[in-house]
Amino acid sequence: MFPVSETNRTVSERLDALPFTRGHLRVLSGSGLGWALDAMDVGLISFIIAALTQHWGLTKGEGGLIASVGFLGMAIGASLGGLLADRIGRRQVFALTLLIYGLATGASALVGGLALLLIFRFLVGLGLGAELPVASTYVSEFAPARIRGRIIVILEAFWAVGWTASAIIGYFVVPASENGWRWAFVIGAVPAVYALVVRLGLPESPRWLASRGRTAEAEKIVAEFEASAGMGAGSGAAPSSPTPEVAPPPAPEAQAAAVHNRLAAIWAPEYRTRTAAIWAVWFCVNFAYYGAFIWIPSILVDAGFGLVRSFGFTLLITLAQLPGYAVAAWLIEKWGRRLTLSVFLIGSAASALAFGTAETEGAIIAAGMALSFFNLGAWGALYAVTPEIYPTSLRGTGAGWAAGFGRIASIIAPLLVPVMLSAGGAGLTFAVFAVFFVVAAAAAWALVEYRGKALEED
């Protein structure tokens, strides 16, 4: 791992001493909009699968394949994105991934058959999978320690905004005509334009810059944040440390060794338990979440509610995500990461059991909204805790590989749901999801609690 200089520690301490500033708001909103666009893309595919099942006569297995191939791309993208974020920077990877998946989503609108759609969904997954853990790592490195968890949950709350947008598009656009699903993909291509805005408008992480020896750039960014908080020169704040000589960048061989060392380091004795625990939580939550929410519109259609009506139910269920995030954002700094995460996971398990046995319209909507509330609150806590448990030199790699391992479950789940539905209906399917939520809640207690603590910088 990279050595920590005095300047690096000073940058970190100064970031943790800041109040929430306009600079933080710009980082949070800029990253959050990208996050919302990601959610919109993932959410849209659940409506598009339901529509293509009618228009193209797809089987349940083919529908599951469309979802799973995207998650295969996400698994690979998350692993590679984390490595690249530790190597070339958080912002660079953030912008590149938005561009990749935005263009691939737009191209999906032009396909005429299943094979080409699968290729583009894989490319979409590559970009999307790399972006999510990098964005949470990026924002966490700007956030002051005392409110870091809350800020990351708020970032995750943008997912609800995007998923709600996908539900609105799914309700009004997808069923409007035989080509409604194509127009939905066109709308999903907006991130390709937004990528340029991200690249030009957001600063690089000062913690990452300092860890790479680029101290002058790190000092400049921190000074801008201090100035926006009235903590610059003349405000009584301590002057910035003089910029030391920066060593030349390592040779390519050393860079390759650093990548290898980062992968090995997340399984070193110091991090082994937390890595195993966070991988287990990511795997279980991905399996249950994507197994349920990718298939809910189709399950409701099969229950006889009709395409438009089932999409309307899904929109109502989706709206419960926002209060789930709000409660998690409040509790995560009151209760801490582990307790908040485990409580929301247990709530998710109970809601899944209720949804699987619901029969009336009111019970289906109520159980679905509870599942949405608890599950998305759990996601907020999970994204908050994941970057915190690793130091700066491993943060992107650790978060990316945890997400990548979790995506294996999101590949498997959409393929297994049709099998489980055939074997035991919605009751068996959602009981299995409940078991995965309970296992995740137990694994969460092996994580390190970082409420109010400074991020590790070695």
Side-chain angles (χ1 to χ4, degrees), residues 210-268:
S211 76
R212 303 296 296 185
R214 295 163 60 178
T215 53
E217 296 172 73
E219 290 272 331
K220 180 181 178 182
I221 294 169
V222 175
E224 290 173 353
F225 274 68
E226 290 172 334
S228 71
M231 299 170 63
S235 64
S240 300
S241 304
T243 302
E245 292 295 323
V246 179
E253 293 79 11
Q255 295 169 6
V259 170
H260 173 76
N261 289 342
R262 283 195 291 270
L263 290 175
I266 63 175
W267 287 103

Side-chain angles (χ1 to χ4, degrees), residues 171-250:
Y171 183 74
F172 290 105
V173 177
V174 174
S177 69
E178 188 171 342
N179 289 319
W181 63 272
R182 296 185 188 274
W183 288 109
F185 274 137
V186 170
I187 295 171
V190 170
V193 177
Y194 179 66
L196 182 60
V197 178
V198 172
R199 178 65 180 85
L200 296 177
L202 297 181
E204 182 54 88
S205 163
R207 296 180 194 265
W208 179 83
L209 289 168
S211 76
R212 303 296 296 185
R214 295 163 60 178
T215 53
E217 296 172 73
E219 290 272 331
K220 180 181 178 182
I221 294 169
V222 175
E224 290 173 353
F225 274 68
E226 290 172 334
S228 71
M231 299 170 63
S235 64
S240 300
S241 304
T243 302
E245 292 295 323
V246 179

